């Protein structure tokens, strides 16, 4: 009991230290973690020096859940629990949007810096996995060419692949990018998105979402998506939207995927 209580205590204290959590919310979050981990009370804890990263304390909580068979050791089970625990540290989407647009009125870069940092510290952007990628740069007549070997997305165990194939089919969320993903628990065939937040903005007369890619391929790799799930089309409206994006975020570069079903983008 004492070890897991200490891990809970350290996780919450580290979040407070990182200013992800208000000290007033410490007891509330500790109690939410007790419930998630099937515990009824906190054991004796100490306020020792916190020398590890937040995700290291998260790992201890997940390891306990596996040890006590609260979850199994499958990758998707771990990711669902990780997202559920991290979600305790992130404001509701309405609050995130309010803070973002308040910053935006002051400084556009400050707004995106806030959202990018939140996406990283909440483990929505998989920084530890991305660090495994291998990069090569080569000179070319068109400038430097960067080649990346993507090692960030965990390989599924053959047993998980088989289980996913026979799992009941679901059409919610409609795809991996649509707004229905915000806060979604996830399952074997759909990534956990409980720690996911989307910024709302207007392009023309429609509402769009702005988010970061969980497995970024380049710095601040962003995604813009329509609030309505529909096939992407490359047309005049698409280019008009791209221009409006760079008008709203002049420090960003905006581009578009091809309008092919395999690409998976919406516009």
């Amino acid at each position: 009991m004492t070890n897991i209580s200490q891990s809970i205590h350290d996780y919450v204290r580290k979040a407070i230290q990182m200013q992800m959590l208000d000290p007033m919310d410490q007891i509330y979050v500790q109690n939410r973690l007790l419930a998630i981990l099937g515990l009824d009370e906190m054991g004796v804890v100490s306020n020792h020096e916190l020398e590890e990263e937040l995700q290291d304390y998260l790992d201890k909580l997940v390891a306990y859940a596996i040890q006590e068979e609260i979850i199994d050791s499958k990758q998707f089970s771990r990711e669902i629990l990780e997202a559920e625990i991290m979600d305790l540290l992130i404001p509701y989407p309405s609050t995130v949007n309010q803070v973002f647009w308040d910053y935006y009125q002051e400084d556009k870069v400050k707004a995106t810096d806030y959202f990018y940092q939140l996406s990283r510290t909440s483990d929505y952007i998989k920084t530890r996995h991305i660090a495994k990628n291998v990069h090569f740069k080569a000179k070319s007549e068109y400038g430097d060419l960067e080649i990346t070997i993507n090692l960030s997305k965990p390989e599924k165990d053959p047993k998980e692949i088989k289980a996913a194939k026979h799992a009941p089919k679901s059409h919610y969320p409609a795809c991996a990018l649509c707004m229905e993903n915000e806060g979604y628990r996830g399952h074997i065939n759909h990534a956990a998105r409980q720690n996911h937040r989307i910024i709302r903005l207007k392009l023309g007369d429609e509402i769009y979402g702005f988010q970061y890619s969980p497995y970024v391929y380049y710095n601040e790799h962003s995604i813009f998506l329509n609030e309505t799930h529909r096939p992407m089309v490359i047309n005049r409206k698409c280019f008009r939207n791209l221009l409006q994006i760079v008008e709203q975020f002049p420090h960003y570069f905006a581009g578009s995927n091809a309008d092919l079903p395999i690409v998976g983008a919406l516009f």
Side-chain angles (χ1 to χ4, degrees):
M1 170 66 77
T2 301
N3 287 341
I4 186 56
S5 295
Q6 187 67 55
S7 295
I8 290 172
H9 187 62
D10 292 345
Y11 176 79
V12 176
R13 285 181 59 231
K14 186 66 177 183
I16 293 172
Q17 186 183 88
M18 295 172 65
Q19 298 183 332
M20 294 182 71
L21 197 65
D22 190 291
M24 190 180 296
D25 297 324
Q26 178 173 353
I27 294 174
Y28 171 82
V29 174
Q30 283 184 175
N31 285 335
R32 294 298 304 124
L33 288 170
L34 287 175
I36 289 171
L37 297 175
L39 300 168
D40 293 324
E41 59 182 292
M42 286 284 287
V44 178
V45 296
S46 64
N47 290 326
H48 57 251
E49 190 73 23
L50 298 174
E51 299 178 347
E52 299 179 78
E53 300 296 325
L54 181 66
Q55 291 183 352
D56 295 322
Y57 296 114
L58 174 64
D59 289 343
K60 294 177 182 179
L61 302 181
V62 174
Y64 173 85
I66 294 172
Q67 173 190 309
E68 297 300 313
E69 298 183 345
I70 298 167
I71 63 168
D72 57 41
S73 60
K74 294 184 176 68
Q75 184 65 33
F76 81 91
S77 301
R78 293 176 58 93
E79 290 182 353
I80 287 172
L81 182 60
E82 288 169 353
E84 182 180 7
I85 292 173
M86 276 294 188
D87 186 44
L88 295 173
L89 308 182
I90 315 171
Y92 278 179
S94 57
T95 303
V96 172
N97 274 263
Q98 182 64 56
V99 173
F100 178 90
W101 290 111
D102 285 347
Y103 279 140
Y104 185 89
Q105 298 305 314
E106 178 185 341
D107 185 323
K108 296 174 182 179
V109 175
K110 190 172 182 179
T112 54
D113 282 351
Y114 157 75
F115 188 42
Y116 186 61
Q117 186 61 26
L118 178 69
S119 300
R120 286 170 57 89
T121 55
S122 65
D123 198 40
Y124 169 71
I125 296 177
K126 302 296 183 182
T127 54
R128 289 190 295 181
H129 294 304
I130 294 164
K132 299 175 184 177
N133 290 345
V134 179
H135 302 271
F136 299 93
K137 284 192 176 181
K139 300 288 185 181
S140 80
E141 59 180 305
Y142 303 106
D144 289 346
L145 176 67
E146 182 174 302
I147 301 170
T148 302
I149 300 175
N150 187 354
L151 301 176
S152 59
K153 292 187 178 180
E155 292 292 334
K156 287 188 176 180
D157 182 273
K159 292 181 180 179
E160 289 188 50
I161 295 173
K162 184 178 180 180
K165 183 178 179 181
H166 294 96
K169 300 299 179 185
S170 172
H171 300 290
Y172 183 90
C175 75
L177 292 181
C178 62
M179 288 195 183
E180 293 168 350
N181 284 276
E182 192 173 43
Y184 188 65
R185 182 177 184 271
H187 50 76
I188 192 168
N189 281 320
H190 199 99
R193 290 290 181 260
Q194 294 174 87
N195 56 340
H196 179 34
R197 302 292 184 268
I198 301 172
I199 300 299
R200 272 63 169 184
L201 68 152
K202 287 197 75 174
L203 297 177
D205 58 355
E206 294 185 288
I207 301 297
Y208 279 76
F210 159 43
Q211 65 184 56
Y212 291 104
S213 171
Y215 296 96
V216 296
Y217 298 123
Y218 42 85
N219 187 42
E220 298 189 41
H221 180 180
S222 309
I223 299 169
F224 291 84
L225 53 133
N226 194 286
E227 66 173 345
T228 302
H229 175 88
R230 63 178 183 234
M232 176 180 169
V233 179
I234 301 292
N235 55 15
R236 180 182 292 272
K237 178 182 176 183
C238 174
F239 286 100
R240 186 166 58 243
N241 286 342
L242 290 172
L243 290 171
Q244 288 186 26
I245 288 171
V246 294
E247 285 175 359
Q248 293 192 50
F249 304 101
H251 54 297
Y252 275 11
F253 172 88
S256 176
N257 286 331
D259 52 353
L260 301 174
I262 195 173
V263 172
L266 302 180
F267 238 107

